[in-house]
Amino acid sequence: MQSNAEFKDYKMDKITIFCSASDQISSLYMKAAMELGEWIGKHHKWLIYGGSNVGLMECIARSVKENGGKIMGVVPTKLEQAGRVSDLLDVTFRSSDLSDRKDIMLREGDIMVALPGGIGTMDEIFHVVASGIMGYHNKQVILYNINGFWNGIIDFMDKLEEQNFSHYPLKEHCIVVNTFDELIGILA
């Protein structure tokens, strides 16, 4: 995969964020989420995310809200039953399960950004890439590679292409940025 790619020209007012729901992660990632949330809020963009009140999810939502942005949370039933829904949401989409949640987040967002996260975040990334390859949409997911977090996944995806397990260039659907300035250059 490459670090730079051309993006299709369309307005990006609704930014879907995929990220961790863990509070037990490095403050480096929390600071990056706050910085991005501040930019989203100050530029009057919508944050679309998983609606949780923990981890990077709550961190970015709080930063968006404190800076004047609007928030759409896509909340699966189990999250609601566990009492883990953020109270910052302007719009709440209820989903029956994680598959439904991914479909709504993809449908509602103009572009997706993956901050550091775990299995759920990887599932969301691959959902966007796989459905894009199949022609269901022409949206992209940006891997925000903070401190090299996504390097292993990037290497894996490169190998998929090199060994012909992907018949389509993955960089058309999944773009890597390593700095905040690179990210904002795309989102602006």
Side-chain angles (χ1 to χ4, degrees):
M1 297 196 42
Q2 297 179 353
S3 295
N4 298 313
E6 293 181 26
F7 277 77
K8 296 165 185 70
D9 291 325
Y10 56 84
K11 198 169 184 181
M12 292 182 240
D13 287 330
K14 297 189 298 181
I15 301 169
T16 298
I17 300 292
F18 303 138
C19 62
S20 175
S22 173
D23 286 323
Q24 307 302 313
I25 59 176
S26 169
S27 63
L28 171 75
Y29 305 125
M30 295 290 187
K31 288 176 187 171
M34 289 187 318
E35 181 178 41
L36 178 56
E38 179 180 349
W39 185 89
I40 290 170
K42 286 183 176 178
H43 288 83
H44 309 291
K45 308 288 184 184
W46 276 88
L47 166 67
I48 301 166
Y49 81 122
S52 178
N53 62 4
V54 293
L56 290 182
M57 286 196 202
E58 182 72 357
C59 179
I60 194 166
R62 186 162 308 286
S63 186
V64 167
K65 185 61 85 175
E66 288 171 354
N67 288 282
K70 297 290 185 182
I71 303 171
M72 233 180 261
V74 185
V75 180
T77 305
K78 292 226 179 245
L79 190 70
E80 199 163 14
Q81 291 169 345
R84 292 182 51 201
V85 178
S86 177
D87 61 0
L88 301 171
L89 308 180
D90 294 296
V91 175
T92 303
F93 282 98
R94 289 185 167 72
S95 64
S96 56
D97 55 36
L98 294 178
S99 293
D100 187 33
R101 180 196 217 183
K102 289 183 294 188
D103 289 339
I104 294 168
M105 291 170 75
L106 176 57
R107 181 189 72 222
E108 293 298 322
D110 296 320
I111 193 162
M112 290 79 223
V113 176
L115 296 173
I119 296 296
T121 303
M122 287 191 296
D123 181 41
E124 291 162 339
I125 292 165
F126 289 125
H127 179 76
V128 173
V129 174
S131 57
I133 287 170
M134 295 296 296
Y136 288 105
H137 63 81
N138 63 353
K139 298 178 182 181
Q140 292 133 335
V141 62
I142 300 169
L143 296 182
Y144 187 10
N145 196 27
I146 302 162
N147 201 33
F149 183 85
W150 293 115
N151 286 349
I153 296 298
I154 294 163
D155 291 344
F156 171 73
M157 292 173 78
D158 284 342
K159 285 180 183 166
L160 289 178
E161 285 190 45
E162 290 166 10
Q163 296 178 18
N164 296 314
F165 285 98
S166 176
H167 303 292
Y168 301 93
L170 297 176
K171 62 185 167 278
E172 290 181 13
H173 301 282
C174 187
I175 308 305
V176 179
V177 300
N178 294 300
T179 68
F180 184 69
D181 288 339
E182 284 179 283
L183 177 60
I184 298 314
I186 293 168
L187 297 179

